[in-house]
Amino acid sequence: MSGLQVQNTNWQVSSNRRAHHTDQFSSRELIVRRGQTFEIVLTMSGSLSSRDRLEFTVSTGPQPSQSAMTKAVFPLSNGSSGGWSAVLKDSSSNNLTIAISSPASAPIGRYAMSVQISSQAGIASVKLGDFILLFNPWVNVDSVFLSNHAERQEYVQEDSGIIYVGSTNRINMIGWNFGQYEEDILSICLSILDRSLNFRRDPATDVAHRNDPKYVGRVLSAMVNSNDDNGVLAGNWSGNYTGGRDPRNWNGSVEILKEWKKSGFRPVRYGQCWVFAGTLNTVLRSLGIPSRVITNFNSAHDTDRNLSVDVYYDPMGNPLDKGSDSVWNFHVWNEAWFTRPDLGPSFNGWQVLDATPQERSQGVFQCGPASVHAVREGDVKLEFDTPFIFAEVNADRTNWIQESANGTPKKNSVDTRSVGRYISTKAVGSYSRMDVTEKYKYPEGSNQERQVFEKALGQLKPNASFGPTSAGALEAEDQEPSISGKFKVAGILAVGKEVSLVLLLKNLTSEEKTVTVNMTAWTIVYNGTLVHEVWKDSVTMSLGPEEEAQHPVRISYAQYENYLKADNMIRITAVCKVPGEAEVVVERDVILDNPTLTLEVLDEAHVRKPMIVQMLFSNPLDEPMKNCVLMVEGSGLLRGNLKIDVPTLRPKERSRVRFEIMPTRSGTKQLLADFSCNKFPAIKAMLSIDVAE
């Protein structure tokens, strides 16, 4: 007689996935979360007798082993132990309902499950199939546990969001499609781990470490950029994006991840910081690690760990591309939520991860996780990469004047307040901006803030001296300047229009002063990369005692149109010199607005019912707009993305384009559009659509 056999395995995908909050993933496989039971039903060839024994095996990775926790063998029993277990819930006729439990510390990833049946007729082993195990923010013993329901909804389940960009005086937002539930995305996210340097060097150890969100997060911060490891995205800040896509054109991560896989895992070109952060956010959320996207305005890139960023100018008012330090108008990174048993309970919670390749860490372009609390307290010795992140939000900015190409630079001024402003993320459950600056640092100018700065500097440079000093470098520093200056916008800032500002100069003394002012304007990339000089001017002015004077700055569209990048940024600098005194440097980055792209729905939105969306756009220029392309995407609203070629727009012509979408999921969904042409590289629009069942 033949022994007991498994005739069918019912993974109960729908009910298990609902219970495990994985029902939105588009694939039909079983996706469960660790530390929580799921039920399967085995249909047997006969009924189970008291002498029959069932023993289950689960395993993950290419070299599973019980000692590494990547394999577990456990019998069908009547109680669970905290580790892997199988408990018989019900046996009616030949159907066995079995509750499988996993430990909350199990490695995440793709698992195989088999069962060995020992009966009177002998021993038979059968492979039951595969399932995916994810981190579990819903159970309090998981290291990624997040207790607040609304926060779990936003930071784990939400598949669209917004990212803040711009500058301190012009905070803009763009929509981003995280799209973690879209077809194949979870599978691609798991394959990112399997293509990492760590996995290639030692797969068994790598897979065993996938139980730890801090390990997984660090690996992902390396893999989302392509430096070192042929990861997902190649960065480019040059302003020239031939051979790839302008980073401003992406609407989300889905297309990037799919293109990476489709190309045989060749880096996708090109990304800048918000593209790296948007993509890393997708991967973290898909694996079950709560995460959010953070923007830091006036973000310092301190390359020499002295907590001072050195910025250089020449006497003619040109910003100089000298030295490796820089201050970015904004920089975007991620925070992921998990415990830090390696550091202690006060460092649990939000951890910075940054996939933008800026500096090497342990030989690889990776950054984090660094505890936000450690950054705030200046505990820069704590792992990982805390000094770099501390500098991004706290570094002092030192301006230097370089008289001649090979002369010694002169220290001009130190600004302790400008770096690390308006640190922002999307609010939970709404499109408003939440300011998290106080989570990163004490109030600017407070005693605690300077104390923390000194503490951090003391840990990094025990015999600290601030900044590079050389003979004569400090001569004019102690003298208070006798004039002050600032740029004020004097008109609307829009692409296609004249840029109009005034330089306001004020004599702070009771004596007459003569000021020589040298001014330039350069188009720039948001991280400060200089693209092209578009305007310059010099003027000498006499200022009576305490007099205020104005000088107009006017830059025509013809002067900047061929050099403006998708950032729409122009840096205007004035170096103001009173004889016998140190120069006063006045600088302002302006952002020009694009014309408005409007999206509107013409029908009510229902699941699986086609609907029409309309795009409205007017050409504001006195010249035609050619090579116009509209790219549209939105998870839950259309499969993949739409690319629509729009006919050439004559000067001042109004365009109306209609297209069809078909929602696949109910709830509030985000539709994103990117419109590009020869005159405007990236015009953005987004629309929230409420989809009914």
Side-chain angles (χ1 to χ4, degrees):
M1 72 177 226
S2 69
L4 198 59
Q5 290 173 348
V6 178
Q7 291 182 329
N8 181 48
T9 307
N10 178 352
W11 291 98
Q12 308 222 72
V13 171
S14 296
S15 56
N16 281 327
R17 282 180 37 158
R18 264 197 313 279
H20 285 249
H21 308 280
T22 59
D23 45 323
Q24 296 194 67
F25 285 102
S26 69
S27 79
R28 294 315 310 143
E29 56 202 324
L30 179 62
I31 303 166
V32 291
R33 298 188 187 276
R34 62 187 195 173
Q36 186 176 339
T37 58
F38 60 95
E39 291 191 355
I40 61 173
V41 177
L42 300 182
T43 302
M44 311 302 285
S45 57
S47 56
L48 199 61
S49 83
S50 58
R51 289 192 299 272
D52 298 327
R53 282 194 69 240
L54 267 61
E55 193 170 59
F56 291 87
T57 300
V58 293
S59 62
T60 183
Q63 298 156 10
S65 84
Q66 286 177 272
S67 60
M69 309 268 292
T70 49
K71 177 182 176 182
V73 180
F74 48 98
L76 183 63
S77 63
N78 46 16
S80 80
S81 56
W84 284 94
S85 67
V87 176
L88 184 62
K89 285 289 198 208
D90 186 50
S91 63
S92 53
S93 60
N94 296 346
N95 290 333
L96 306 179
T97 304
I98 297 167
I100 306 283
S101 299
S102 62
S105 57
I108 57 115
R110 204 178 283 281
Y111 278 77
M113 186 192 287
S114 59
V115 64
Q116 184 177 287
I117 304 164
S118 310
S119 61
Q120 278 175 305
I123 295 177
S125 201
V126 59
K127 187 172 172 356
L128 298 176
D130 292 348
F131 63 95
I132 290 173
L133 190 70
L134 302 178
F135 290 105
N136 196 345
W138 280 262
V139 304
N140 62 5
V141 282
D142 196 310
S143 49
V144 302
F145 173 62
L146 187 57
S147 59
N148 181 298
H149 167 79
E151 290 181 357
R152 282 196 306 261
Q153 181 67 41
E154 180 74 46
Y155 299 138
V156 184
Q157 293 180 284
E158 188 53 67
D159 62 353
S160 66
I162 51 178
I163 301 177
Y164 292 96
V165 297
S167 67
T168 49
N169 38 36
R170 188 74 205 237
I171 295 178
N172 294 323
M173 63 185 203
I174 54 168
W176 194 265
N177 180 22
F178 298 123
Q180 66 265 36
Y181 304 122
E182 296 301 289
E183 195 179 347
D184 214 22
I185 293 300
L186 176 57
S187 170
I188 295 170
C189 293
L190 289 170
S191 67
I192 292 177
L193 295 174
D194 288 344
R195 304 195 74 80
S196 74
L197 294 176
N198 292 15
F199 181 83
R200 282 185 251 170
R201 282 190 207 114
D202 183 351
T205 306
D206 172 76
V207 173
H209 280 141
R210 292 182 192 176
N211 66 333
D212 179 359
K214 109 178 145 284
Y215 177 82
V216 171
R218 186 158 174 80
V219 167
L220 293 174
S221 80
M223 279 302 295
V224 167
N225 67 67
S226 65
N227 304 49
D228 319 300
D229 48 28
N230 272 328
V232 179
L233 276 158
N236 181 343
W237 286 266
S238 68
N240 174 11
Y241 309 113
T242 46
R245 196 185 285 197
D246 187 318
R248 295 257 172 185
N249 288 137
W250 300 110
N251 283 324
S253 319
V254 177
E255 205 184 343
I256 292 167
L257 291 166
K258 286 186 170 176
E259 190 176 313
W260 183 61
K261 180 184 173 181
K262 194 171 120 195
S263 72
F265 303 102
R266 284 209 294 281
V268 176
R269 298 184 293 193
Y270 289 107
Q272 288 171 355
C273 65
W274 69 94
V275 186
F276 291 104
T279 304
L280 178 54
N281 214 57
T282 296
V283 185
L284 291 165
R285 286 187 188 178
S286 74
L287 300 180
I289 301 175
S291 61
R292 61 189 188 181
V293 177
I294 300 284
T295 304
N296 177 38
F297 290 94
N298 288 353
S299 191
H301 182 170
D302 174 24
T303 54
D304 47 10
R305 290 172 63 123
N306 65 349
L307 301 189
S308 174
V309 171
D310 302 303
V311 184
Y312 297 86
Y313 300 89
D314 72 12
M316 295 314 295
N318 287 295
L320 299 178
D321 202 352
K322 172 183 155 54
S324 49
D325 287 356
S326 55
V327 178
W328 296 25
N329 265 288
F330 66 90
H331 179 46
V332 185
W333 59 70
N334 302 79
E335 285 176 2
W337 177 273
F338 46 84
T339 60
R340 292 299 300 267
D342 56 323
L343 304 182
S346 60
F347 300 100
N348 291 347
W350 291 115
Q351 314 290 326
V352 174
L353 292 167
D354 190 346
T356 298
Q358 288 179 294
E359 294 294 317
R360 288 183 190 279
S361 170
Q362 296 172 324
V364 175
F365 281 98
Q366 58 188 348
C367 182
S371 156
V372 173
H373 183 72
V375 173
R376 184 173 199 252
E377 297 302 328
D379 290 317
V380 292
K381 283 192 164 157
L382 300 180
E383 299 278 33
F384 293 86
D385 307 309
T386 312
F388 184 74
I389 292 147
F390 183 88
E392 285 183 306
V393 299
N394 285 301
D396 289 345
R397 176 188 169 123
T398 307
N399 289 340
W400 300 77
I401 303 282
Q402 176 93 29
E403 289 290 349
S404 59
N406 47 12
T408 307
K410 239 178 32 227
K411 191 172 191 174
N412 173 263
S413 61
V414 177
D415 180 353
T416 62
R417 288 174 171 248
S418 65
V419 163
R421 307 279 303 279
Y422 305 115
I423 305 175
S424 305
T425 190
K426 175 189 178 297
V428 172
S430 82
Y431 278 159
S432 49
R433 184 181 75 86
M434 180 161 86
D435 194 295
V436 294
T437 310
E438 88 293 345
K439 299 275 188 264
Y440 279 84
K441 54 189 190 176
Y442 288 98
E444 204 67 67
S446 66
N447 283 341
Q448 293 133 305
E449 187 240 357
R450 279 288 111 179
Q451 280 163 7
V452 164
F453 188 89
E454 302 298 338
K455 167 181 166 183
L457 195 63
Q459 288 183 18
L460 292 175
K461 301 250 171 188
N463 42 5
S465 67
F466 286 82
T469 55
S470 55
L474 301 172
E475 60 233 20
E477 201 204 347
D478 302 329
Q479 209 181 314
E480 280 296 304
S482 63
I483 56 160
S484 70
K486 69 170 185 213
F487 283 112
K488 200 169 148 229
V489 176
I492 58 163
L493 296 172
V495 180
K497 301 263 189 295
E498 177 182 77
V499 174
S500 175
L501 295 95
V502 288
L503 174 64
L504 298 174
L505 285 181
K506 184 165 191 198
N507 182 351
L508 304 171
T509 70
S510 49
E511 299 152 37
E512 183 161 325
K513 295 285 176 185
T514 302
V515 193
T516 305
V517 183
N518 293 323
M519 290 175 280
T520 64
W522 288 70
T523 53
I524 61 168
V525 178
Y526 78 98
N527 70 337
T529 301
L530 301 170
V531 177
H532 206 280
E533 185 184 82
V534 293
W535 173 90
K536 62 180 175 196
D537 191 14
S538 290
V539 62
T540 301
M541 298 162 78
S542 282
L543 289 175
E546 292 174 16
E547 186 191 346
E548 222 172 325
Q550 299 190 358
H551 185 72
V553 172
R554 293 207 179 91
I555 309 164
S556 69
Y557 180 49
Q559 284 171 297
Y560 70 77
E561 77 165 310
N562 294 329
Y563 305 113
L564 195 69
K565 294 296 157 189
D567 311 72
N568 288 359
M569 284 187 184
I570 299 178
R571 172 165 292 171
I572 298 135
T573 311
V575 172
C576 312
K577 177 80 174 149
V578 173
E581 296 182 18
E583 295 88 342
V584 171
V585 178
V586 185
E587 188 172 80
R588 174 89 185 242
D589 289 351
V590 296
I591 300 180
L592 310 187
D593 285 340
N594 279 325
T596 308
L597 181 71
T598 306
L599 296 174
E600 48 190 42
V601 288
L602 302 180
D603 315 295
E604 286 195 352
H606 293 276
V607 174
R608 284 184 294 283
K609 189 173 156 228
M611 62 180 294
I612 302 291
V613 180
Q614 175 165 278
M615 174 211 86
L616 301 171
F617 180 78
S618 295
N619 177 0
L621 305 176
D622 295 321
E623 45 197 304
M625 287 169 51
K626 302 176 179 146
N627 315 328
C628 304
V629 176
L630 179 68
M631 302 280 284
V632 181
E633 73 178 82
S635 286
L637 290 172
L638 66 161
R639 292 206 181 281
N641 57 353
L642 278 177
K643 182 179 175 200
I644 301 162
D645 291 317
V646 179
T648 294
L649 281 168
R650 295 188 302 277
K652 308 289 192 224
E653 185 184 356
R654 186 170 177 181
S655 168
R656 189 172 77 182
V657 175
R658 291 184 173 184
F659 54 90
E660 188 179 271
I661 61 174
M662 187 157 79
T664 52
R665 295 199 307 274
S666 61
T668 302
K669 302 293 164 207
Q670 187 188 61
L671 188 69
L672 294 165
D674 174 83
F675 183 74
S676 60
C677 66
N678 64 329
K679 297 292 177 190
F680 297 97
I683 301 175
K684 298 291 191 189
M686 63 180 188
L687 178 67
S688 286
I689 299 178
D690 291 319
V691 181
E693 267 303 347

